[in-house]
Amino acid sequence: MVVFQKNDEIKSFVTELKKMGHTLGFVPTMGYLHEGHLALVREAKKICQAVIVSIFVNPTQFGPQDDFERYPRDFERDLRLLKEEGVDAVFVPAVAEVYPKSYVTYVTLKGLTDCLCGRSRPGHFDGVATVVTKLFNIVRPDKAFFGQKDGQQVLVIRKMVEDLNMEPEIVTVPTVREPDGLAMSSRNAYLSAEERKAASVLYRGLMTARAAFAKGEKKPERLCKIVVDILAAEPLARVDYVEVRSIPNLDPVEIVDQPVLLAAAVYFTKTRLIDNVVLDPGKGL
Ligand code: AMP
C-alpha cells in the first residue's frame, strides 16, 4: 500500500493503474476509520481491481461553530486498517494541497441542500460537493463508494455527478451499526458513556416509525411524531430535525406513496448524530 500526500504523485499512480486497464474504486473519508468505512472499502475491493481511499478532514464542509479542530484523527491506526483490507493507495493531502492560498472555486447545488442537514449546516454541502469534485478530478475513479448513513450526501453527490456529467458511478453501501443499532460514526467517539447508552434511542425511534409504516401509517407528520415522541422520552436527546422527504429529490410529501427518506439529526448534549431509513411502499416493508 502506498501513501501519497501530493496531487501530482497520486495522479501519476492513477495514470499507471489506468494503463493496466484496472477498474478503479475510490472511497473518500475523513479518517478515524470504523467498520462503516471498512464496509465501503470491502465493497470497493469486491467490484474493483484497484482501490484508493482518501483521508481528508475537509475544512470547507465545517461551519464556524462545527467541530473541525477537534474532529478525531488517528492516522497511524487508519493506515494499519487500510493495509489489512488490501487497499492499493491512500491519499492524505494537507489542507494547503487541496485549498492553496489562492483558492476561489466552489461547487454549489441550488436544490437538495435547503432541507435536512443542509438547513442545519449552511454551506456544508457546498464544501462536500467541492471537495468530492476535486478528489474525483485527481483520482478519476470508475466507481466511488458512499454510505447510506449520510443519506442526503449520497443524493447530493449523485445529482452533482448527473448535472456536471462526471464519470464515476456512485455506489451506495448500507449503514453499518453497533449491536444496539447506533449507526457507526467517527463522532460517536465524542459521546460519554451515558450519552453513548442514550444514543441508541435514535435508531429505536426510526425503527418504531418503520414498523408503523409497515402496518399502514403513510402520513409523514405521524411517522415523524413517532420518532420525536421516542426521542422526547430520552432526557439526553435534543432533536435537530426529524423529516420525511422524497427520494431522490428530497421534496416534502403529503403521503408516503413513493420511496422516502425518514431522516433525523439529534444532539446528545453537544454531539450531533444523524441517521435515516428508507421507507419504500413498493417493498411493503
Ligand atoms: P466520513 O469519514 O464520516 O466522511 O465518512 C466517509 C464515508 O463513510 C461516507 O460515505 C459515509 O457515508 C460513510 N460512512 C460513515 N459511517 C458509516 C456507516 N456507519 N455505515 C456505512 N457507511 C458509513
Side-chain angles (χ1 to χ4, degrees), residues 27-31 33-37 39-40 61 71 145-151 153-154 173-177 182-187:
V27 182
T29 82
M30 298 204 297
L33 303 179
H34 50 67
E35 283 293 318
H37 298 111
L40 268 58
Q61 71 188 70
Y71 195 83
F145 297 77
F146 292 86
Q148 169 70 39
K149 201 210 80 173
D150 300 273
Q153 173 169 278
V154 175
V173 177
T175 304
V176 178
R177 300 179 178 283
L182 176 66
M184 290 198 179
S185 164
S186 306
R187 290 193 168 94

Side-chain angles (χ1 to χ4, degrees), residues 39-222:
L40 268 58
V41 171
R42 285 172 198 148
E43 185 61 23
K45 287 284 293 179
K46 217 189 295 171
I47 59 177
C48 300
Q49 289 160 304
V51 174
I52 294 179
V53 175
S54 65
I55 299 175
F56 180 62
V57 185
N58 174 36
T60 62
Q61 71 188 70
F62 288 77
Q65 309 300 325
D66 284 347
D67 53 346
F68 174 71
E69 293 298 341
R70 66 181 195 115
Y71 195 83
R73 294 162 169 90
D74 190 345
F75 182 54
E76 295 307 321
R77 179 174 173 274
D78 288 350
L79 288 188
R80 206 170 59 240
L81 291 172
L82 294 175
K83 200 169 172 186
E84 280 167 17
E85 297 297 328
V87 165
D88 296 270
V90 185
F91 183 44
V92 279
V95 171
E97 184 72 7
V98 180
Y99 303 111
K101 276 213 165 66
S102 57
Y103 194 85
V104 292
T105 306
Y106 290 86
V107 178
T108 299
L109 285 87
K110 299 266 187 202
L112 283 186
T113 55
D114 47 10
C115 60
L116 309 175
C117 288
R119 184 158 51 209
S120 304
R121 304 180 68 188
H124 168 70
F125 286 112
D126 292 355
V128 170
T130 300
V131 80
V132 170
T133 299
K134 285 181 64 82
L135 290 168
F136 281 2
N137 285 337
I138 293 164
V139 176
R140 293 186 290 137
D142 299 295
K143 297 174 195 286
F145 297 77
F146 292 86
Q148 169 70 39
K149 201 210 80 173
D150 300 273
Q152 188 175 17
Q153 173 169 278
V154 175
L155 295 173
V156 162
I157 301 293
R158 282 187 187 280
K159 191 74 183 100
M160 176 183 85
V161 165
E162 180 192 332
D163 286 356
L164 297 183
N165 310 95
M166 292 176 167
E167 289 290 331
E169 177 196 334
I170 304 303
V171 181
T172 309
V173 177
T175 304
V176 178
R177 300 179 178 283
E178 300 286 356
D180 66 353
L182 176 66
M184 290 198 179
S185 164
S186 306
R187 290 193 168 94
N188 292 351
Y190 296 146
L191 301 171
S192 69
E194 208 187 348
E195 289 161 354
R196 168 64 192 82
K197 220 171 136 201
S200 66
V201 70
L202 176 48
Y203 182 66
R204 225 167 39 246
L206 294 174
M207 284 299 101
T208 309
R210 195 168 84 159
F213 173 72
K215 282 199 189 139
E217 182 54 80
K218 299 285 188 284
K219 293 219 172 75
E221 62 277 13
R222 293 224 187 122

